[in-house]
Amino acid sequence: MKVYLIRHGIAAERGTYTDDEQRPLTEIGEIKTTQVAQRLLSIGIKFDLILTSPLVRAYQTANILQKVGLSSHIEHYEFLKPDGDIQRWIKWQQQWYRDNKNGSLALVGHQPDLSNWAEMLVWGGVKERLTLKKAGIIGLEISDSGTPIARSNLFLLTSPKWTI
């Protein structure tokens, strides 16, 4: 199973909104995220499902991915909020995998969580070696059985500049 960890696009500056969860993408963030989505589509990538953090900037990013045609389905999950719980996602993923063995997922979330999750899935622990830029992507091949921790393979790590 392939999983694409996608960081939300460029958002309004921290502190500009009373409720940080309401910070939206900027116009530049929308443009760059659209370019990334179009690049993914141009190389034949599609997702069976997009999972997103419920925070506005992540949800807007997921909507752009959907609008470009990368998936027709979006679902919100609390485990993708900042400081989300990878174990809750793994439990969800293992259940979803039973019906979607060759499926492809996009997880839209935040830093440093997505990089930390990728490191845990590939190396079994956080090593602070991977950095996911805004609208950047980490692609992982997830293990077929058992825990995906330390049993997944990294096949893509790219910044939004990849679209140029």
Side-chain angles (χ1 to χ4, degrees):
M1 179 173 110
K2 291 189 176 177
V3 175
Y4 296 84
L5 306 176
I6 303 171
R7 185 176 178 190
H8 64 77
I10 299 168
E13 291 294 320
R14 288 182 190 267
T16 56
Y17 284 76
T18 306
D19 181 358
D20 187 66
E21 293 189 7
Q22 297 303 313
R23 281 193 301 127
L25 295 180
T26 63
E27 185 177 338
I28 292 171
E30 290 178 8
I31 291 167
K32 287 189 177 202
T33 302
T34 300
Q35 290 171 339
V36 167
Q38 290 169 337
R39 176 75 168 128
L40 289 170
L41 191 62
S42 77
I43 61 171
I45 293 175
K46 289 205 173 189
F47 310 121
D48 295 301
L49 179 60
I50 299 171
L51 306 182
T52 183
S53 158
L55 277 63
V56 169
R57 55 196 176 272
Y59 183 69
Q60 288 175 318
T61 299
N63 277 333
I64 290 169
L65 300 174
Q66 183 183 41
K67 191 184 311 181
V68 167
L70 293 171
S71 181
S72 58
H73 305 290
I74 296 176
E75 295 180 9
H76 301 91
Y77 284 94
E78 295 290 314
F79 54 68
L80 285 168
K81 287 176 81 169
D83 297 320
D85 183 356
I86 191 172
Q87 293 301 328
R88 284 182 54 209
W89 175 74
I90 288 171
K91 185 176 179 182
W92 179 94
Q93 176 267 332
Q94 289 174 333
Q95 184 175 349
W96 187 82
Y97 178 77
R98 287 184 209 124
D99 298 324
N100 301 278
K101 293 200 184 311
N102 294 315
S104 178
L105 290 174
L107 277 61
V108 180
H110 310 274
Q111 267 299 92
D113 298 330
L114 293 178
S115 292
N116 291 346
W117 285 22
E119 290 181 357
M120 290 176 69
L121 292 166
V122 174
W123 298 313
V126 176
K127 300 186 181 291
E128 297 182 4
R129 296 246 165 51
L130 298 177
T131 301
L132 191 56
K133 301 285 186 184
K134 292 177 181 162
I137 304 164
I138 296 174
L140 301 172
E141 184 75 37
I142 302 293
S143 173
D144 294 13
S145 60
T147 181
I149 300 287
R151 298 182 65 219
S152 301
N153 294 309
L154 177 72
F155 68 85
L156 178 66
L157 174 60
T158 186
S159 74
K161 291 181 181 178
W162 173 56
T163 63
I164 298 173

